[in-house]
Each structure stands twice: as C-alpha cells, then as structure tokens.
C-alpha cells in the first residue's frame, strides 16, 4: 500500500509544472530538516566531516538548504521520468562547456561520464543521449512498482540500462569500444571486496569504486564530469574535465582523481549535493566508524 501510494505521489508531482513541483518538493525537504530525522542527522554528520571550517550556524543553514534541494530533486526526477526529451530540452536554459564532451567523442574511444549525486542527475542521461548513444549502470530499488516506474523513465530513446553485475560491466566495455557514452554515478559506496580503494573525499577516507579505473585502462576512453544544476526556470548543464590523475595506471591514484573530480563538481553547487547519503560507510576495520 505504501509503495503504491509513493508511486502515485511521484506521478502526481511529475505531472505538475516544474516550478510548482519544486515548491512541493522543497517544502517536503524543509520538513525533513525540521523533523531532524535520519536524513538531517546524516547531512549534519557529513557536513561536519567535510566542511569543518564552517561555523555551526552557517553549517546548519547549509543542512536546511541541502535537504530542501533534495526534496526538489525528487519532484524533478519524477517529471524527467514521465516526460519526453523534448520537454526536458525546453527546460535546459544553459549548457556550459559541452565542447569538452563533443571533443572527447571525436576521439572515437568512447566517453565515460561521471554523474555525481548533484543537482538533478536524472536529467543528465537524456542530455547525454542527445549527443550519442548512452549506456548507464542501473541498480533497481527494492520496491517493484517504483523499479518499474524508474526503469521505464530512464530507458528512453538512445539509452540502454546495464545491470550492476558482470554482464552490465561487459555492456559498458562494449559501448565504450563502439565510441559511445557510458555514465556512472561515481560517488556510490561499493561493496567491500567488490573492486574498491580507500581515497580521500573532502579530506575524509572514503571507499571508492575502481570500476572507472578499470574501464579507462581497458578502453583508453576519455572522462568528463556532467551535472544538471538547478537554476530558475530549469537546469544548467555543466560539463567539466576530469582530474588528470584519473588516467593513472595506479588504481589508488586513479580513484583519488575520481574523488577530486566529484569534489570539483560539488564545489560549484554545494547546496545541491546529496549530503544525506552515507558516503563514508563500509570502511576497512582499521578506520574509525563515521556513523
């Protein structure tokens, strides 16, 4: 019953005008902050770890802003899933540095896009697919009805979804070798022993995937970061070059470059990052627990 209601609410939010959906989503995020529940607690912990120089009052303001922006992201994600690329295209009010993406595609070795949990990452997929065929990793949620809605919303023209297993990795490799685009959410915490290294993220040790390093070494692909920043009337699509260390043969140096690439994006719009995610979990036993 709860699952069906959640899907119904998402569909309702997704059909509202974007500005109206943002109001409702922002209000829901404000309630998350006001209630001081799990999301608010984790956001405070992460910001205390990553932004220790910020005074308490300013940091709490950032907590409130972050959760408000997260609420807007949920409403916007539903709209992206339910509407066409033409709808989203009308709401992209600015594109910054897409020449970096175009240039990387012309090299013919494929482009690996880092799409962190920043702004509205659901808008990144259709945007990328307007330049070349896109293959993106997909880990389904536990709720079947929600999974159906998300998978249908993401699997649009020119987009293939790949499962988070060996078969999915094989799909990514084949797409890169064809000179296409592959998109990965680089700031998800991998399972222990599932291809991971500890690397700094905003000065804190974070278990970080080595999948990106492996794909680079096996295909010679180029890497850029892309995020959809929330701005009045829509989105600003931002393309940034990845930190050069990401191309290093040494896995530890490469994942450090990956995290630095994510940091570069976050610093552009820190209130729109998903700070309520437990980024510093699953560390090896010799690290002090962060949560």
């Amino acid at each position: 019953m709860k699952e069906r209601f959640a899907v119904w609410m998402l569909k309702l939010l997704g059909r509202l005008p974007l500005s109206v959906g943002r109001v409702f989503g922002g209000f829901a995020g404000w309630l998350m902050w006001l209630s001081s529940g799990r999301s608010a607690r984790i956001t405070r912990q992460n910001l205390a770890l990553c932004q220790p120089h910020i005074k308490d009052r300013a940091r709490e303001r950032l907590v409130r802003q972050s959760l408000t922006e997260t609420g807007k992201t949920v409403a916007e994600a539903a709209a992206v899933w339910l509407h066409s690329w033409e709808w989203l295209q009308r709401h992209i009010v600015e594109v910054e540095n897409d020449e970096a993406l175009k240039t990387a595609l012309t090299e013919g070795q494929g482009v690996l896009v880092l799409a962190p949990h920043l702004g509205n990452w659901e808008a990144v997929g259709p945007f990328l697919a307007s330049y070349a065929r896109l293959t993106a990793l997909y880990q389904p949620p536990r709720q079947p009805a929600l999974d159906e809605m998300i998978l249908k919303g993401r699997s649009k023209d020119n987009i293939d979804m790949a499962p988070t297993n060996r078969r999915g990795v094989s799909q990514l490799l084949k797409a890169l070798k064809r000179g296409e685009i592959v998109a990965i959410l680089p700031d998800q915490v991998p399972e222990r022993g599932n291809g991971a290294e500890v690397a700094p993220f905003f000065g804190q040790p974070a278990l970080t995937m080595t999948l990106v390093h492996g794909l680079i070494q096996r295909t010679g692909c180029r890497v850029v970061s892309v995020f959809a920043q929330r701005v009045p009337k829509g989105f600003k699509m931002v393309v940034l070059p990845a930190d050069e260390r990401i191309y290093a043969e040494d896995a530890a140096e490469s994942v450090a470059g990956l995290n630095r690439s994510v940091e570069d994006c976050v610093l552009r719009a820190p209130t729109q990052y998903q700070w309520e995610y437990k980024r510093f979990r699953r560390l090896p036993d010799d690290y002090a627990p962060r949560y």
Side-chain angles (χ1 to χ4, degrees):
M1 180 64 72
K2 287 183 179 179
E3 181 186 344
R4 288 198 296 270
F5 178 74
V7 171
W8 180 83
M9 282 297 298
L10 282 171
K11 288 182 177 179
L12 177 62
L13 283 172
R15 292 301 182 187
L16 295 172
L18 185 63
S19 58
V20 177
R22 283 179 172 178
V23 170
F24 280 101
F27 179 67
W30 179 79
L31 289 178
M32 284 195 295
W33 169 75
L34 192 66
S35 65
S36 289
R38 178 185 179 279
S39 293
R41 292 196 302 272
I42 299 302
T43 300
R44 291 189 183 102
Q45 288 176 291
N46 280 338
L47 286 171
L49 290 168
C50 298
Q51 307 289 341
H53 58 283
I54 299 178
K55 293 183 178 180
D56 290 347
R57 183 175 296 181
R59 189 184 301 129
E60 187 60 26
R61 184 166 60 250
L62 184 55
V63 172
R64 174 175 53 80
Q65 291 172 332
S66 175
L67 291 171
T68 299
E69 295 296 324
T70 293
K72 294 177 184 178
T73 299
V74 174
E76 293 170 348
V80 173
W81 296 331
L82 294 172
H83 288 89
S84 65
W85 159 244
E86 288 72 24
W87 176 90
L88 177 59
Q89 192 174 29
R90 292 195 299 270
H91 290 86
I92 295 177
V93 299
E94 184 180 354
V95 177
E96 179 183 331
N97 195 33
D98 68 334
E99 287 300 322
L101 177 60
K102 293 176 182 177
T103 300
L105 281 168
T106 62
E107 296 185 14
Q109 294 175 290
V111 180
L112 198 162
V113 171
L114 308 177
H117 290 86
L118 176 67
N120 191 321
W121 54 91
E122 294 294 344
V124 172
F127 169 74
L128 294 174
S130 70
Y131 290 82
R133 189 158 195 86
L134 169 69
T135 302
L137 278 181
Y138 175 68
Q139 184 169 10
R142 296 177 180 177
Q143 301 86 353
L146 185 59
D147 177 32
E148 181 182 355
M149 179 184 179
I150 295 175
L151 189 57
K152 182 178 179 181
R154 288 178 174 174
S155 303
K156 297 180 180 178
D157 292 342
N158 224 28
I159 301 177
D160 297 315
M161 304 307 298
T164 53
N165 54 31
R166 287 187 178 181
R167 184 166 65 86
V169 173
S170 177
Q171 281 183 248
L172 301 184
L173 284 167
K174 290 177 181 177
L176 289 172
K177 290 177 180 179
R178 290 193 299 265
E180 298 170 357
I181 302 175
V182 159
I184 289 178
L185 294 166
D187 47 355
Q188 289 182 313
V189 179
E191 297 287 343
R192 284 191 187 183
N194 194 22
E197 292 271 354
V198 175
F201 182 64
F202 283 105
Q204 298 297 319
L207 196 66
T208 306
M209 66 174 68
T210 56
L211 173 61
V212 170
H213 169 70
L215 291 173
I216 295 169
Q217 294 302 308
R218 294 178 68 177
T219 66
C221 64
R222 302 305 297 170
V223 187
V224 297
S225 301
V226 180
F227 65 94
Q229 184 176 355
R230 188 172 301 107
V231 296
K233 299 183 179 180
F235 304 101
K236 175 183 178 180
M237 308 303 300
V238 181
V239 182
L240 297 177
D243 187 284
E244 284 297 319
R245 287 176 295 172
I246 203 168
Y247 299 105
E249 291 186 14
D250 178 69
E253 186 176 357
S254 178
V255 296
L258 184 153
N259 282 349
R260 181 63 215 183
S261 300
V262 176
E263 290 176 19
D264 290 341
C265 294
V266 174
L267 292 172
R268 296 285 296 268
T271 63
Q272 295 187 27
Y273 188 59
Q274 194 183 29
W275 292 107
E276 73 271 18
Y277 178 63
K278 286 188 175 182
R279 181 66 184 89
F280 305 110
R281 60 195 173 112
R282 295 180 186 154
L283 286 166
D285 295 336
D286 51 337
Y287 289 90
R290 286 341 192 228
Y291 305 106

